[in-house]
Amino acid sequence: MYTIRQEELFSLQELMEMAPENKYSIVFKTLDLLPALRVLNKRTHRGRPEELNYAAMVYAMLIGTIERIPTTKDLLKRLRTNEEFRRTCRFRGSDAIPSEASFSRLYTKLADSGVLWELQRQVISLAAAAGFVSPSFISFDSTHVEAEERQPRKEQEVESKAESNEQPVLEMEHSPSTSAKRLEDPRKKYKRGAPTKAEAERRRLEREAWEASLPLFERKLEDMLPYTFEQLKPLIPIHPSTSSKKGSNGKLMWWHGYKLHILADSKGHYILSALFSSAHVNDGRLAIPLLKKFQTDFPDWKVKHALADAGYDVMAVYKQVRSLGAWPLIDYNERAKKPPEGLNENFHPVCQEGHSYVYDSFDAKNKSLKFTRPQECKACPLEKSGRCQRVYKIKVEKDLRRFTVPARGSKSYKKIYKKRTTVERIFAYLKGYYGLGASRKRGKRAEVDAALSVLSYTLCQYAVDCMRQKQQKQAA
């Protein structure tokens, strides 16, 4: 559970206290369901006429998410027994109440088409046009989504069978052709001791062939950088799996289910991009397609800083953030006990007396950090001999992990990095108000539940911002 105590993200109290008809007319005012209806409705006039009101069914699913109705069965019970709720969901008097099987088929259509993520992108574009989105500072993170109908043994059997079969390997036009059959890890059969030159060369060729036969999501993270989001999206696993992470209390938490990865606007509190995956997928591995998706959806947006925790401290993630034109501010994951010689724990230069230099500014032209001499070195005896420098300049591109803009440990770095808590608060709202904590569906159908939570949150956020803007204009 999240223990962050800050001001409310937005005033849900005013929105929730409204009458249902007024509340949802404001929330759904800007929602254009035409892309969804093009996918859901029949494409021809032949055959049996369509009797289902798909638009009302989608509205009912969104309202059920906002009203915290957990299951389709409870939603249908509310539709059958409450005429006001049925009218709020925009069912006409002549419309029959859909069955549970009809909602199940609708889930399948929404899962196969991915149209809910397209609706999310449209709402974000409207919020950006109204001036509510400011993508100068973005932050990304992931949270766990439990699978309520879980059968870990059967899931493990399915995973082991899938791994034993032939798995497709993504190939690029300029890359050498690789076999689609997964090879056995050759490192298991190597004997102890130093090999000869001929044996070392043979082992190197075997390892390269084995790595080339692996699926893309099992290779090194750097291998994912040349691919586009359209190529990476079909390879993201979405089956329920078991994973663990360390909670805020320091204890290890295990869960069976999925992960939701989001990229949020740290100022406007909007979810700009989101991906759904299995629980076992590493956060840093999904950060690359998440950033590529954001770049694909909003290619003209300029980002200044991208914020993340130590789970994303991988060089491939730094390179992907730099491809957006942004500077990564990612908490450093200490893999070595001691910092390099001549640098302190924040990678500031250290003088011969052991005093750390102070971060001064960033030279955008030369892309270098400027450090000035500390106060302790004003009366340094080494200054006259020229062995104590007044100014140090370090190129950021020398090591993106160690040298950030602004420099690690500085006041400006800490001030900007505090904005990363936005994504934590969004997760708290998604789980507290929009039912993201668990899903009764499996695979792609569970992704529909996550998409409904994200879309409902975005619609409510946009509705409240529009109300505030209208009130400010009236007061002015």
Side-chain angles (χ1 to χ4, degrees), residues 5 20 40 56 90 124 140 194 209 211 215 218-219 227 238 269 310 378 395 416 421 432 437 473:
R5 295 184 178 181
L40 301 176
R90 305 188 180 184
I124 292 298
F140 49 93
E211 290 175 358
E218 294 184 22
R219 300 186 199 172
Y227 298 96
I238 316 182
H269 305 89
K378 286 185 177 180
K395 292 280 187 179
I416 296 175
T421 57
K473 289 182 178 179

Short mmCIF file of all heavy atoms in Angstrom, two decimals, residues 5 20 40 56 90 124 140 194 209 211 215 218-219 227 238 269 310 378 395 416 421 432 437 473:
data_model
loop_
_atom_site.label_atom_id
_atom_site.label_comp_id
_atom_site.label_asym_id
_atom_site.label_seq_id
_atom_site.Cartn_x
_atom_site.Cartn_y
_atom_site.Cartn_z
N ARG A 5 1.66 10.98 1.79
CA ARG A 5 0.66 11.93 2.30
C ARG A 5 0.89 13.28 1.65
O ARG A 5 1.82 13.99 1.98
CB ARG A 5 0.76 12.04 3.82
CG ARG A 5 0.42 10.75 4.54
CD ARG A 5 0.43 10.95 6.05
NE ARG A 5 0.06 9.73 6.75
CZ ARG A 5 -0.03 9.62 8.08
NH1 ARG A 5 0.24 10.69 8.83
NH2 ARG A 5 -0.36 8.48 8.65
N PRO A 20 -26.18 11.46 -10.47
CA PRO A 20 -25.55 10.60 -11.48
C PRO A 20 -25.71 11.11 -12.90
O PRO A 20 -24.78 11.09 -13.69
CB PRO A 20 -26.24 9.26 -11.28
CG PRO A 20 -26.71 9.27 -9.87
CD PRO A 20 -27.06 10.71 -9.58
N LEU A 40 -16.91 -2.34 -33.27
CA LEU A 40 -17.86 -3.24 -32.62
C LEU A 40 -19.07 -3.55 -33.49
O LEU A 40 -19.57 -4.69 -33.47
CB LEU A 40 -18.32 -2.63 -31.30
CG LEU A 40 -17.22 -2.34 -30.27
CD1 LEU A 40 -17.81 -1.64 -29.06
CD2 LEU A 40 -16.52 -3.61 -29.86
N ALA A 56 -24.09 2.03 -25.41
CA ALA A 56 -24.57 1.99 -24.03
C ALA A 56 -23.82 0.95 -23.21
O ALA A 56 -23.58 1.15 -22.00
CB ALA A 56 -26.07 1.69 -24.02
N ARG A 90 -27.39 5.25 -20.73
CA ARG A 90 -27.84 5.64 -22.07
C ARG A 90 -28.44 4.48 -22.85
O ARG A 90 -28.32 4.40 -24.07
CB ARG A 90 -26.70 6.30 -22.85
CG ARG A 90 -26.09 7.48 -22.12
CD ARG A 90 -25.11 8.25 -22.93
NE ARG A 90 -24.57 9.36 -22.15
CZ ARG A 90 -23.73 10.27 -22.62
NH1 ARG A 90 -23.33 10.21 -23.87
NH2 ARG A 90 -23.31 11.26 -21.84
N ILE A 124 -6.37 12.44 -24.13
CA ILE A 124 -5.13 13.14 -23.78
C ILE A 124 -4.85 14.25 -24.78
O ILE A 124 -4.39 15.35 -24.41
CB ILE A 124 -3.96 12.13 -23.74
CG1 ILE A 124 -4.13 11.17 -22.57
CG2 ILE A 124 -2.62 12.86 -23.61
CD1 ILE A 124 -4.12 11.82 -21.21
N PHE A 140 7.70 7.64 -15.06
CA PHE A 140 7.14 6.33 -15.41
C PHE A 140 7.49 5.32 -14.34
O PHE A 140 8.54 5.37 -13.70
CB PHE A 140 7.62 5.86 -16.79
CG PHE A 140 9.11 5.95 -17.02
CD1 PHE A 140 9.93 4.88 -16.76
CD2 PHE A 140 9.68 7.13 -17.49
CE1 PHE A 140 11.30 4.95 -16.98
CE2 PHE A 140 11.05 7.22 -17.72
CZ PHE A 140 11.85 6.13 -17.45
N ALA A 194 40.52 -22.82 -17.63
CA ALA A 194 40.70 -21.86 -18.71
C ALA A 194 40.78 -22.59 -20.05
O ALA A 194 41.58 -23.52 -20.22
CB ALA A 194 41.97 -21.05 -18.49
N ALA A 209 25.26 -17.76 -31.27
CA ALA A 209 24.15 -18.47 -31.91
C ALA A 209 23.01 -18.72 -30.94
O ALA A 209 21.82 -18.61 -31.30
CB ALA A 209 24.65 -19.80 -32.49
N GLU A 211 22.26 -16.83 -28.20
CA GLU A 211 21.61 -15.55 -27.92
C GLU A 211 20.74 -15.11 -29.09
O GLU A 211 19.69 -14.50 -28.89
CB GLU A 211 22.67 -14.49 -27.62
CG GLU A 211 23.39 -14.69 -26.29
CD GLU A 211 24.50 -13.68 -26.07
OE1 GLU A 211 24.73 -12.86 -27.00
OE2 GLU A 211 25.14 -13.70 -25.00
N PRO A 215 14.06 -15.43 -27.81
CA PRO A 215 13.07 -14.39 -28.10
C PRO A 215 13.60 -13.02 -27.70
O PRO A 215 14.48 -12.92 -26.84
CB PRO A 215 11.86 -14.79 -27.24
CG PRO A 215 12.07 -16.23 -26.92
CD PRO A 215 13.55 -16.45 -26.89
N GLU A 218 14.04 -11.90 -24.08
CA GLU A 218 15.01 -12.59 -23.24
C GLU A 218 16.44 -12.21 -23.61
O GLU A 218 17.38 -12.71 -22.99
CB GLU A 218 14.83 -14.11 -23.36
CG GLU A 218 13.50 -14.61 -22.80
CD GLU A 218 13.40 -16.11 -22.85
OE1 GLU A 218 14.46 -16.77 -22.89
OE2 GLU A 218 12.27 -16.63 -22.85
N ARG A 219 16.60 -11.36 -24.58
CA ARG A 219 17.94 -10.91 -24.94
C ARG A 219 18.33 -9.70 -24.09
O ARG A 219 17.60 -9.28 -23.19
CB ARG A 219 17.98 -10.52 -26.43
CG ARG A 219 17.63 -11.65 -27.38
CD ARG A 219 17.84 -11.18 -28.81
NE ARG A 219 17.12 -12.00 -29.77
CZ ARG A 219 17.03 -11.72 -31.06
NH1 ARG A 219 17.60 -10.64 -31.54
NH2 ARG A 219 16.36 -12.53 -31.87
N TYR A 227 14.28 -1.44 -32.65
CA TYR A 227 12.95 -1.81 -33.11
C TYR A 227 11.93 -0.72 -32.80
O TYR A 227 12.09 0.07 -31.88
CB TYR A 227 12.52 -3.12 -32.46
CG TYR A 227 13.39 -4.30 -32.79
CD1 TYR A 227 14.42 -4.69 -31.94
CD2 TYR A 227 13.21 -5.02 -33.97
CE1 TYR A 227 15.23 -5.77 -32.24
CE2 TYR A 227 14.02 -6.10 -34.28
CZ TYR A 227 15.02 -6.47 -33.41
OH TYR A 227 15.83 -7.53 -33.72
N ILE A 238 1.33 -11.34 -21.93
CA ILE A 238 0.19 -10.85 -21.15
C ILE A 238 -0.49 -12.00 -20.40
O ILE A 238 -1.64 -11.87 -20.00
CB ILE A 238 -0.83 -10.11 -22.05
CG1 ILE A 238 -0.14 -9.19 -23.02
CG2 ILE A 238 -1.81 -9.28 -21.24
CD1 ILE A 238 -1.09 -8.40 -23.90
N HIS A 269 -0.82 15.58 -14.11
CA HIS A 269 -1.33 14.34 -13.53
C HIS A 269 -2.17 13.55 -14.51
O HIS A 269 -3.17 12.93 -14.14
CB HIS A 269 -2.13 14.62 -12.26
CG HIS A 269 -1.38 15.41 -11.24
ND1 HIS A 269 -1.38 16.78 -11.19
CD2 HIS A 269 -0.57 15.01 -10.22
CE1 HIS A 269 -0.62 17.18 -10.19
NE2 HIS A 269 -0.11 16.14 -9.60
N ALA A 310 15.06 3.53 -9.02
CA ALA A 310 16.27 2.76 -9.28
C ALA A 310 16.02 1.49 -10.07
O ALA A 310 16.97 0.90 -10.60
CB ALA A 310 16.95 2.41 -7.95
N LYS A 378 39.14 27.40 -0.08
CA LYS A 378 39.50 28.79 -0.34
C LYS A 378 40.92 29.11 0.14
O LYS A 378 41.63 29.87 -0.49
CB LYS A 378 38.50 29.72 0.35
CG LYS A 378 37.15 29.77 -0.36
CD LYS A 378 36.24 30.80 0.29
CE LYS A 378 34.93 30.89 -0.46
NZ LYS A 378 34.01 31.91 0.15
N LYS A 395 31.78 16.01 -19.21
CA LYS A 395 30.83 15.75 -20.28
C LYS A 395 29.76 14.76 -19.79
O LYS A 395 30.08 13.71 -19.23
CB LYS A 395 31.54 15.17 -21.50
CG LYS A 395 32.48 16.14 -22.20
CD LYS A 395 31.69 17.07 -23.11
CE LYS A 395 32.64 17.93 -23.96
NZ LYS A 395 31.91 18.83 -24.86
N ILE A 416 13.59 18.62 -8.71
CA ILE A 416 12.93 18.04 -9.88
C ILE A 416 12.51 16.60 -9.61
O ILE A 416 11.42 16.17 -10.00
CB ILE A 416 13.85 18.13 -11.11
CG1 ILE A 416 14.12 19.59 -11.47
CG2 ILE A 416 13.23 17.41 -12.30
CD1 ILE A 416 15.11 19.76 -12.60
N THR A 421 6.86 11.48 -7.61
CA THR A 421 5.79 10.91 -6.78
C THR A 421 4.43 11.03 -7.44
O THR A 421 3.47 10.42 -6.96
CB THR A 421 5.76 11.61 -5.41
OG1 THR A 421 5.59 13.03 -5.60
CG2 THR A 421 7.05 11.37 -4.65
N GLY A 432 -7.62 2.85 -5.64
CA GLY A 432 -8.60 3.23 -4.63
C GLY A 432 -9.96 3.58 -5.18
O GLY A 432 -10.98 3.36 -4.52
N GLY A 437 -6.84 -2.82 -8.61
CA GLY A 437 -6.09 -3.73 -7.75
C GLY A 437 -6.09 -5.17 -8.20
O GLY A 437 -5.12 -5.89 -8.01
N LYS A 473 -13.09 31.26 -15.17
CA LYS A 473 -13.53 32.26 -16.15
C LYS A 473 -14.72 33.04 -15.63
O LYS A 473 -14.82 34.25 -15.81
CB LYS A 473 -13.86 31.59 -17.47
CG LYS A 473 -12.67 31.07 -18.23
CD LYS A 473 -13.08 30.44 -19.56
CE LYS A 473 -11.86 29.96 -20.34
NZ LYS A 473 -12.25 29.34 -21.63
#
